[in-house]
Amino acid sequence: MPFQSFTDYLLLEKNYSKLTVQAYLSDLESLKDFINNQYGTDSIKDVNYAQIRTWIVSLVESGIANRSINRKTSSLNTYYKFLLKVGDITQNPLSKHKALKTSKKVQIPFSEEEIGTVLDELNFDNSFEGYRNKLIIELFYSTGIRRIELVELKLSSISLNNKTVKVLGKRNKERIVPLLNSVKETLANYLNKRNSLEEIKDSEHLFLTKKGVKIYEMLVYRIINDYFSQASSKVKKSPHILRHSFATHLLNQGADLNAVKELLGHTSLAATQVYTHNSIAELKKVHLKAHPRSKK
C-alpha cells in the first residue's frame, strides 16, 4: 500500500482516527496525481517547493477555498516532517511555506426559539425515520457532538440507566456526555422502531437508514437542513450550527467555559472560546439592563 509507513505512523503513534488518516492520504494522492501529470513523476518525496507552489496555484485557480488548501498543505507538511524523522529526506520543502490568508468565518447559531419550533412544533411522525430524525436533532443540540461522532455512535455507546453517551472524538479520544430526560424518551422510542426494521444489516451502529445500514454524513446534513429550513431563515443550517448553538446557549445561561470545553471534546480553551462572542453580547444586554448607572 502506498504511504504504508506514514499511515502506520498516523494511526499508531499520532493516534489519529481512520477518517482523519484517509483525509491525509487523499491530500497526498492529490499532489501525487498533479506532479505525475505535470512532471512525469509520482514520487512526492523528491518534489521541491516550486513544484508544490505550482500545485497550490492550480488549486486556487480551480476555486478551492484557501481554508481547504491550507488543510491540504498541512497534511503534506506532516508527511514531510515524518520523512525527516525517519531519514528519508534531508529537508522539508514546506519548511518556509506560509499559509494562505483566510477570512474569519462568522457562525450564527440557531436561536432557542428556532430550535424550540423544530422540536416542539414541527411534525415528526411515528415512523422509524420520524423518531430517528428527531433523535438526531435532539442529540446534536443536547450533547454538542460532531456529525461524524454521531454517525459513528454504537449501540453500546448508550447507557439508558446512567443517561450517558460515550463519544469517540478526534484522535480516538473518548468522552462521556450526559443525556437529558427528553432525549432518553426519544431514544427509547427510536430503539423500539429500530428493532422492528425488516432487516438490520448493521447491528453495531446506533443510527441506521430504513434499509438497515449505517447512516451516512450527507443524509445527516440533509435531515438537519430540511427541518431547520422550516423554522429558520439563516443561510447555513447544518449539524455544526447545532453544535455551535449548543455551546452558545450553555454559555449564555452561565455555564463554565471549561465544562463546555469538555462536553465539546476540545483539547484547548482556545477552540471553545470561538463560541463566546454571542455570550458576550448577551452579557452586555444584562449588564446594561441591570447596572445601577446604566441609565446615566
Side-chain angles (χ1 to χ4, degrees), residues 13-252:
E13 285 195 43
K14 302 293 283 185
N15 201 29
Y16 287 174
S17 71
K18 288 182 179 179
L19 284 170
T20 300
V21 173
Q22 285 171 10
Y24 272 67
L25 296 180
S26 175
D27 296 333
L28 298 186
E29 289 292 346
S30 172
L31 176 61
K32 183 179 174 182
D33 290 343
F34 177 81
I35 64 166
N36 192 22
N37 290 330
Q38 293 292 316
Y39 306 107
T41 175
D42 60 1
S43 174
I44 66 173
K45 272 200 243 183
D46 305 317
V47 299
N48 56 45
Y49 181 64
Q51 292 170 322
I52 295 176
R53 184 72 185 170
T54 305
W55 172 67
I56 292 172
V57 169
S58 75
L59 295 176
V60 172
E61 290 176 344
S62 68
I64 296 175
N66 285 4
R67 193 177 301 273
S68 297
I69 295 172
N70 286 341
R71 183 188 61 75
K72 290 176 181 294
T73 54
S74 176
S75 299
L76 283 173
N77 196 33
T78 301
Y79 176 63
Y80 289 124
K81 284 181 178 179
F82 165 74
L83 293 180
L84 273 174
K85 184 177 180 180
V86 299
D88 279 1
I89 60 173
T90 57
Q91 186 175 357
N92 180 352
L94 282 170
S95 59
K96 295 183 180 179
H97 173 73
K98 291 183 179 179
L100 303 180
K101 289 183 179 180
T102 57
S103 56
K104 196 169 184 180
K105 285 186 176 180
V106 178
Q107 301 280 6
I108 302 174
F110 297 120
S111 67
E112 293 180 38
E113 291 73 21
E114 287 171 329
I115 291 173
T117 296
V118 170
L119 289 175
D120 302 329
E121 298 179 24
L122 296 188
N123 178 47
F124 293 88
D125 59 43
N126 294 327
S127 67
F128 163 78
E129 289 183 321
Y131 281 121
R132 181 200 64 192
N133 295 352
K134 186 173 186 182
L135 179 59
I136 285 172
I137 294 170
E138 287 191 344
L139 267 182
F140 274 133
Y141 181 56
S142 65
T143 67
I145 62 176
R146 301 174 177 93
R147 175 167 46 168
I148 187 59
E149 291 172 345
L150 179 134
V151 168
E152 294 296 332
L153 281 178
K154 310 281 179 59
L155 277 173
S156 58
S157 304
I158 303 292
S159 174
L160 285 172
N161 290 333
N162 295 327
K163 291 191 292 188
T164 59
V165 56
K166 184 188 295 182
V167 181
L168 187 62
K170 290 184 175 180
R171 301 189 183 184
N172 292 325
K173 185 179 178 182
E174 284 188 350
R175 66 186 187 277
I176 304 294
V177 182
L179 291 174
L180 300 177
N181 284 328
S182 58
V183 180
K184 182 180 176 182
E185 182 181 340
T186 309
L187 177 59
N189 289 331
Y190 165 71
L191 289 175
N192 285 334
K193 291 291 184 181
R194 183 187 183 283
N195 292 336
S196 301
L197 287 173
E198 285 187 17
E199 184 179 12
I200 296 178
K201 297 176 182 176
D202 185 328
S203 58
E204 185 180 19
H205 288 90
L206 174 64
F207 287 109
L208 306 179
T209 70
K210 61 183 178 182
K211 293 182 179 179
V213 298
K214 185 177 77 169
I215 204 169
Y216 49 95
E217 288 192 62
M218 186 51 67
L219 176 55
V220 174
Y221 174 85
R222 285 205 304 266
I223 289 167
I224 301 304
N225 189 67
D226 288 349
Y227 280 97
F228 278 89
S229 291
Q230 301 175 59
S232 174
S233 60
K234 289 181 172 62
V235 174
K236 192 168 183 183
K237 297 175 276 287
S238 69
H240 183 72
I241 297 300
L242 265 177
R243 175 173 162 86
H244 189 34
S245 305
F246 162 82
T248 301
H249 296 171
L250 280 181
L251 291 167
N252 283 348

